[in-house]
Amino acid sequence: MPDIFKADIAGKINKALGNLVFDLTLTKVEPGTRTPGTLTGGTNPTETGHTVKGFVDEYKDYQIDGTLIQRGDRKVVILGGSLSSGVIPEPGDKITAEGETRTIVEDGVKRDPAGATYTCQVR
């Protein structure tokens, strides 16, 4: 995670807002290896859950185009300072919030320059 001017902006925002937002679960989905001895066998992905801080928001009607942003998609904002070292949200990962588990879509992660927030489009 970047540290602009060595100011630890992500840490300061997490400290200031962390108690005001919600616990979410970011589940990292890592591709597995091909099943040994088979050419057509699938892979066995592994999933690792990480507790993070953040909140869920909705898209405005004018933002929903039916293709890139579909009705029912949500924005999940994760505080970068709440992420474990080396963990960042990526497309294909899952986020559990408000009793629902949704998957981050392709090109669905935006990070601010300081890494203080990650906005994830989930479906």
Side-chain angles (χ1 to χ4, degrees):
M1 181 177 331
D3 189 359
I4 295 177
F5 309 118
K6 304 290 184 212
D8 188 27
I9 294 169
K12 289 176 181 172
I13 289 176
N14 186 52
K15 183 176 180 182
L17 297 178
N19 291 329
L20 301 175
V21 295
F22 304 99
D23 285 336
L24 312 173
T25 302
L26 170 66
T27 302
K28 295 293 295 172
V29 179
E30 301 293 335
T33 57
R34 182 132 336 256
T35 304
T38 65
L39 295 176
T40 59
T43 60
N44 299 312
T46 59
E47 296 186 357
T48 306
H50 302 273
T51 300
V52 298
K53 292 288 193 173
F55 59 92
V56 179
D57 195 7
E58 295 184 4
Y59 286 96
K60 308 286 187 226
D61 284 339
Y62 70 86
Q63 295 173 303
I64 299 170
D65 65 3
T67 304
L68 296 176
I69 301 175
Q70 298 178 11
R71 193 155 305 280
D73 285 2
R74 298 285 182 267
K75 286 188 271 189
V76 177
V77 178
I78 296 174
L79 300 183
S82 72
L83 292 164
S84 301
S85 179
V87 174
I88 58 168
E90 299 174 293
D93 290 344
K94 299 175 185 176
I95 298 175
T96 302
E98 299 178 350
E100 293 184 332
T101 300
R102 295 172 179 254
T103 303
I104 300 173
V105 303
E106 190 67 33
D107 295 325
V109 179
K110 306 291 186 248
R111 177 185 62 82
D112 72 89
T117 60
Y118 289 79
T119 302
C120 304
Q121 179 184 352
V122 297
R123 180 171 296 147

